[in-house]
Amino acid sequence: THNAAESTIAVEPLLQQLFDLLAYQHPHLEVHLELQIAASELDGDTGIALGMIVNELLMNSLKHGFGERFEREVARIRIDVSEQELKGHFVLLYEDNGAGMPTGAEWVTDERLGMRLIHQLARQLMGRLELKGSPRTQWVFHFLDEQRRRTID
């Protein structure tokens, strides 16, 4: 049996593979991914949860963010993961050049399954999620690794 809490996950290959798998399902789009990963490894539990959050954000971008205009233009997604000065504190920045959240959309109370999952995973990582941007959608997610979460519990 494998224990995710005792293993580490390489962040960049994980996020690249998620993108490749999801972009493959949208052959009508030309999508460029910009990855800037300063935090090269995370503990297994944190890496899995982060991967699931990014998976939901990628699916949302590819399914809803890039409409007909992107059949003629290049769609762009940028993902940055960095560790902050305080050890064990990380930031995920996710943005795309898609349509963005609809005006008046209340993402905090959004009951769709994907958003509920993102909020649940954010709580699991003792994280804080912010939606910024206009006209672009930019998600900023502050979270803690397993070791830092254990010191707070």
Side-chain angles (χ1 to χ4, degrees):
T1 162
H2 182 73
N3 186 348
E6 295 175 3
S7 62
T8 60
I9 291 181
V11 176
E12 189 164 354
L14 170 68
L15 300 183
Q16 183 67 56
Q17 289 174 2
L18 286 171
F19 171 79
D20 291 345
L21 287 169
L22 292 169
Y24 179 76
Q25 297 173 11
H26 298 272
H28 61 286
L29 292 174
E30 181 181 350
V31 186
H32 289 254
L33 175 66
E34 178 187 337
L35 279 177
Q36 292 186 347
I37 310 298
S40 59
E41 286 189 341
L42 292 170
D43 64 89
D45 287 342
T46 304
I48 290 168
L50 183 69
M52 292 173 70
I53 289 170
V54 170
N55 185 70
E56 289 299 321
L57 294 172
L58 284 168
M59 287 193 325
N60 192 55
S61 291
L62 294 168
K63 189 174 181 181
H64 304 293
F66 302 128
E68 289 178 13
R69 102 171 198 245
F70 289 97
E71 292 177 11
R72 300 176 305 281
E73 291 180 36
V74 175
R76 298 190 184 284
I77 295 173
R78 179 176 149 217
I79 303 173
D80 298 350
V81 180
S82 59
E83 186 167 9
Q84 300 303 286
E85 287 182 24
L86 198 54
K87 186 165 176 50
H89 291 247
F90 295 85
V91 175
L92 162 73
L93 172 77
Y94 179 98
E95 67 181 344
D96 65 40
N97 65 339
M101 292 290 279
T103 305
E106 210 32 69
W107 66 272
V108 174
T109 58
D110 193 325
E111 285 298 313
R112 287 176 298 175
L113 183 60
M115 286 307 300
R116 285 198 332 244
L117 179 61
I118 288 172
H119 287 293
Q120 180 62 37
L121 291 164
R123 280 192 296 277
Q124 179 182 323
L125 297 180
M126 295 183 173
R128 185 177 83 248
L129 187 63
E130 304 170 61
L131 176 62
K132 297 181 176 183
S134 175
R136 299 170 80 172
T137 298
Q138 183 182 74
W139 295 93
V140 181
F141 177 50
H142 299 263
F143 64 98
L144 305 175
D145 68 7
E146 176 68 26
Q147 188 172 359
R148 180 59 71 175
R149 290 192 306 271
R150 270 191 263 135
T151 66
I152 293 173
D153 276 350

